[in-house]
Amino acid sequence: MELEEAVAAALALPGVTEADHHGRRSFRVGGGKVLATVWADDQLNVMVGVDLAHAVGVQPGVELLWWGQKLSGVRVTLSEVDPALLDELLQDAWASRAPAAQRARPDLPPGT
């Protein structure tokens, strides 16, 4: 998978916007909650839940993402990851960060 395909997948989620995050591209929902960041040209950090991170951390192209002592999600190498798995990871990150009203009605624009 190419970076721009991953970016398109993130931006296709309801209410997701792109913003700068310390000089890197990030994808946010629900008032600015980060669901993914571009770490490098071939890597995306996806802020999934701890259980899913542990479950997929052994898959090709996926490694656990630690910030100090905290497990924050997974780092995905786009050239190695299964595209369907990346979609699942992005969906999980979105579902844990999108406002409840938006999760209930993803067809509505944010703030509706």
Side-chain angles (χ1 to χ4, degrees), residues 20-92:
D20 179 74
H21 183 72
H22 306 289
R24 300 179 194 272
R25 296 168 79 180
S26 73
F27 308 96
R28 300 169 181 255
V29 68
K33 295 178 184 174
V34 176
L35 62 101
T37 60
V38 175
W39 184 249
D41 287 343
D42 190 39
Q43 292 183 319
L44 196 67
N45 292 341
V46 186
M47 309 316 173
V48 297
V50 172
D51 291 339
L52 182 56
H54 282 297
V56 301
V58 297
Q59 296 295 316
V62 180
E63 64 182 89
L64 297 178
L65 177 63
W66 294 94
W67 291 111
Q69 300 294 316
K70 181 181 179 194
L71 179 59
S72 297
V74 293
R75 178 165 295 148
V76 175
T77 300
L78 299 172
S79 61
E80 298 173 16
V81 72
D82 180 332
L85 177 57
L86 179 59
D87 285 341
E88 178 183 347
L89 297 172
L90 290 169
Q91 286 282 344
D92 181 81

